[in-house]
Amino acid sequence: MNIMLFHSTYGLRPAVQDAAGRLRAAGHVVWTPDLFEGRTFEDVEEGMEFKETVGKEELLKRAVLAAAPYSERGLVYAGFSLGASVAQTLALGDEKARGLLLLHGTSDIAPNASVDELPVQLHVASPDPFETDDWLNSWYLQMRRVGADVEVHRYTGAGHLYTDPGLPDYDEEAAEATWRVVLGFLDTL
């Protein structure tokens, strides 16, 4: 599978490269574009401030430019938190998308979005301050409405970005469970 993996608001940290390595070891081709052009952050507030400075439209433009050379191959769009929202936006706009893998995040859905049974898998903490139950219920219904085939996996007690061993949110048990399910999902595409 060809996977375009987008980083979180912390930037292209070692955890993203480690995740890409894990996916490559399972036989996948993975690209990890750096939407922050080399900037990484130790603090989520600094990362969010930088994201606001760059702007949503510019980040999406960078993501589209990164994915464009490979989109004809049929990409699985994937991402962590902020990167998940970017991946979702691109996958819903790419008729050749093979799948959507969301780790720790979702995004608004354009009113005119439409897909044909796009396989979608979401992994999120429960509770998650950025992905509340009400939001996730609404998001799920909207994704089904636009034609996505959605699976949601919740991890009770895990922190928001629980797959990143370099952050306080890290939860090894939840992270390993997530990667087992993710690899099974990718094998079905």
Side-chain angles (χ1 to χ4, degrees):
M1 206 47 47
N2 295 301
I3 303 169
M4 186 65 53
L5 181 62
F6 295 104
H7 61 75
S8 75
T9 194
Y10 286 94
L12 188 55
R13 294 169 44 86
V16 179
Q17 298 294 5
D18 292 346
R22 184 184 292 244
L23 296 170
R24 288 181 185 116
H28 304 289
V29 176
V30 184
W31 294 274
T32 55
D34 186 351
L35 303 182
F36 285 2
E37 299 178 330
R39 299 284 307 269
T40 60
F41 302 94
E42 297 301 317
D43 179 86
V44 70
E45 285 80 17
E46 289 176 1
M48 291 175 83
E49 191 175 297
F50 181 76
K51 174 192 78 149
E52 292 303 320
T53 301
V54 173
K56 183 178 181 175
E57 293 305 314
E58 176 62 23
L59 288 176
L60 284 174
K61 177 182 167 190
R62 292 175 184 180
V64 167
L65 289 173
Y70 312 104
S71 63
E72 285 296 315
R73 300 178 186 194
L75 292 171
V76 172
Y77 291 92
F80 297 94
S81 194
L82 164 69
S85 72
V86 170
Q88 178 185 306
T89 300
L90 269 59
L92 294 181
D94 181 354
E95 64 186 31
K96 293 186 187 259
R98 298 280 306 275
L100 174 59
L101 174 61
L102 304 171
L103 299 159
H104 322 295
T106 61
S107 184
D108 294 329
I109 300 165
N112 62 342
S114 177
V115 294
D116 185 17
E117 292 297 312
L118 178 71
V120 177
Q121 194 174 79
L122 168 65
H123 296 267
V124 65
S126 178
D128 187 312
F130 300 102
E131 302 290 327
T132 65
D133 289 344
D134 287 347
W135 166 258
L136 287 174
N137 289 336
S138 174
W139 173 86
Y140 176 84
L141 293 172
Q142 289 178 60
M143 286 294 280
R144 294 294 298 153
R145 178 186 53 78
V146 302
D149 181 12
V150 183
E151 289 179 29
V152 178
H153 298 269
R154 307 289 305 266
Y155 299 86
T156 303
H160 172 66
L161 208 58
Y162 65 83
T163 59
D164 187 330
L167 297 175
D169 286 348
Y170 181 62
D171 182 316
E172 183 178 10
E173 186 178 330
E176 289 306 314
T178 295
W179 289 115
R180 279 192 302 276
V181 174
V182 163
L183 292 174
F185 171 68
L186 293 171
D187 285 345
T188 69
L189 303 179

